[in-house]
Amino acid sequence: MTRFDRYLLSQFLALFGFFSLVLVLIYWVNRAVGLFDRIIGDGQSALVFLEISLLTLPNVIRVVLPVSAFAAAVYTTNKLAQDGELVVMQATGFSAFRLARPVLYFGLSVTLMLLVLYNVIVPHSRTILAERTAEMSANMTARLLVDGKFMHPTDGITFYIRDISDAGEMQDIFLSDDRSSGSKTIYTARRALLVQGDVDPKLIMFDGMSQSFDVAKNRLSITHFSDFTYDLGGLLVAGARPPRSLDELPTRALFAPSAALLAETGSSHADFLSEAHARLAQPFLALATALIGFAALLMGAFSRFGLWRQILGAVVLLIVVQMVNNAAFSASVRSDFGWILVYIAPLLGIVASIAMLWVAQRPRRRHSAGPGPTSSEGARA
């Protein structure tokens, strides 16, 4: 790698890191707000929120990296053009394809990162995330011990706690059991404790009252008690781990799915093949976006006002490539041979970049600016 290639590659990588950090933070903060409300609202701790957030980051990074590669290529190329560095390199005899060599190195570096993300890190993180979500769903204590909020742990059950002491004692509770169509029971108590029984957890209420309403007889029965034990067995559905999705499966399993996997995921053979080839094809979108950003700006001549027209054209082309990518992926699941379509968008971006580089290195027509050997007045002279 020549000194010029190393210099340009360092510029791309530095800005790529900056744009990736900014975009990941923006995307993560946008999703973390809703995630924080849901997790903390379910009674989980801040450490659980941090763990879940970290497990979602690989998927966020996977989405952001191609955009960061495009932004870094456009920004760096525009800066080099305004500083005249690209003009100097072209004057020394560098062709458009020669100038694009460090961009190729840069795009392949990002592609390699995405290949690792798509095929190793993201499936592993999604598997751990599904397991932790099932564990949180099964943690009934965390789901019930939330004060100042009406909770509905299952259909027909409403539970409310006014306050929870430092010792874990619940103050002024309300429990409504409306699971039976023939009757409805409401329990109220001054104090309550949640304890683990031999089989199922139990709620022990003190100084309370139960009100049972018989719908058929239209009769209300009221019972006062000093202590009462309410069996929570069956109140909450245990958080069993849901069936695995295609995102959680390793890539090698996607290429040759077994009958058990097809039944577990509920997906077709075409879905498996489409997802498997998408994990190989999608990373090359980073290479395509980087080349598009560079090649589009290289087509413009030097201007003190910048290359805003070329930048706009690059953005439009990037949108077109992404639209083709979405449409091709949707169509790829319709047949077992549809996986070929997932390679269209990366190839389209790369071919379009090569075409723009070829146009950029063609000699431009010179416009006469006044008398001279090439002007019309000079020719008549």
Side-chain angles (χ1 to χ4, degrees), residues 126-328:
R126 296 297 292 267
T127 300
I128 299 176
L129 180 61
E131 294 173 353
R132 290 292 292 123
T133 302
E135 291 175 5
M136 288 189 298
S137 177
N139 189 352
M140 183 176 57
T141 301
R143 296 174 63 184
L144 285 179
L145 297 183
V146 180
D147 56 352
K149 179 181 178 182
F150 284 94
M151 293 168 293
H152 307 277
T154 189
D155 293 338
I157 296 293
T158 302
F159 190 62
Y160 176 83
I161 307 171
R162 181 183 62 82
D163 191 21
I164 301 176
S165 66
D166 295 336
E169 186 180 66
M170 293 174 276
Q171 307 289 336
D172 297 332
I173 72 164
F174 171 88
L175 175 62
S176 174
D177 189 347
D178 195 17
R179 290 177 293 177
S180 175
S181 60
S183 64
K184 178 179 180 179
T185 305
I186 296 177
Y187 300 91
T188 56
R190 294 183 181 274
R191 300 180 297 114
L193 294 173
L194 187 64
V195 299
Q196 182 63 43
D198 296 335
V199 179
D200 297 315
K202 301 181 184 299
L203 180 68
I204 302 178
M205 294 177 279
F206 303 94
D207 301 329
M209 175 180 64
S210 68
Q211 305 175 64
S212 298
F213 179 73
D214 192 324
V215 177
K217 298 180 180 180
N218 197 24
R219 178 181 298 176
L220 177 65
S221 302
I222 300 176
T223 304
H224 294 268
F225 55 82
S226 58
D227 61 84
F228 180 79
T229 301
Y230 185 87
D231 190 1
L232 296 176
L235 187 149
L236 294 178
V237 179
R241 192 189 190 284
R244 288 180 295 175
S245 62
L246 296 182
D247 292 337
E248 302 173 41
L249 298 177
T251 303
R252 63 179 181 275
L254 296 175
F255 281 103
S258 61
L261 279 179
L262 292 172
E264 179 184 358
T265 59
S267 302
S268 64
H269 193 266
D271 293 327
F272 274 80
L273 291 179
S274 178
E275 177 67 21
H277 286 278
R279 293 186 184 183
L280 301 180
Q282 295 299 307
F284 286 92
L285 279 176
L287 174 61
T289 57
L291 288 174
I292 287 174
F294 179 80
L297 269 66
L298 205 64
M299 294 179 64
F302 174 78
S303 174
R304 294 182 182 273
F305 299 100
L307 303 172
W308 62 270
R309 292 182 179 177
Q310 287 74 23
I311 295 175
L312 182 60
V315 171
V316 171
L317 181 56
L318 180 65
I319 294 174
V320 171
V321 170
Q322 186 59 45
M323 292 175 61
V324 171
N325 182 56
N326 295 338

Side-chain angles (χ1 to χ4, degrees), residues 2-70:
T2 63
R3 181 177 300 179
F4 171 75
D5 292 341
R6 289 196 301 270
Y7 166 72
L8 206 56
L9 182 60
S10 65
Q11 297 289 318
F12 284 127
L13 291 176
L15 285 169
F16 169 74
F18 171 75
F19 284 120
S20 297
L21 179 62
V22 171
L23 292 176
V24 167
L25 286 177
I26 293 174
Y27 198 95
W28 178 78
V29 168
N30 187 37
R31 298 189 60 183
V33 173
L35 185 65
F36 181 83
D37 290 339
R38 180 168 60 86
I39 292 180
I40 301 301
D42 287 341
Q44 305 295 334
S45 64
L47 290 177
V48 174
F49 164 72
L50 181 60
E51 179 186 4
I52 299 300
S53 298
L54 292 177
L55 288 173
T56 59
L57 271 182
N59 193 50
V60 174
I61 296 174
R62 177 182 68 172
V63 175
V64 162
L65 288 191
V67 181
S68 300
F70 174 79

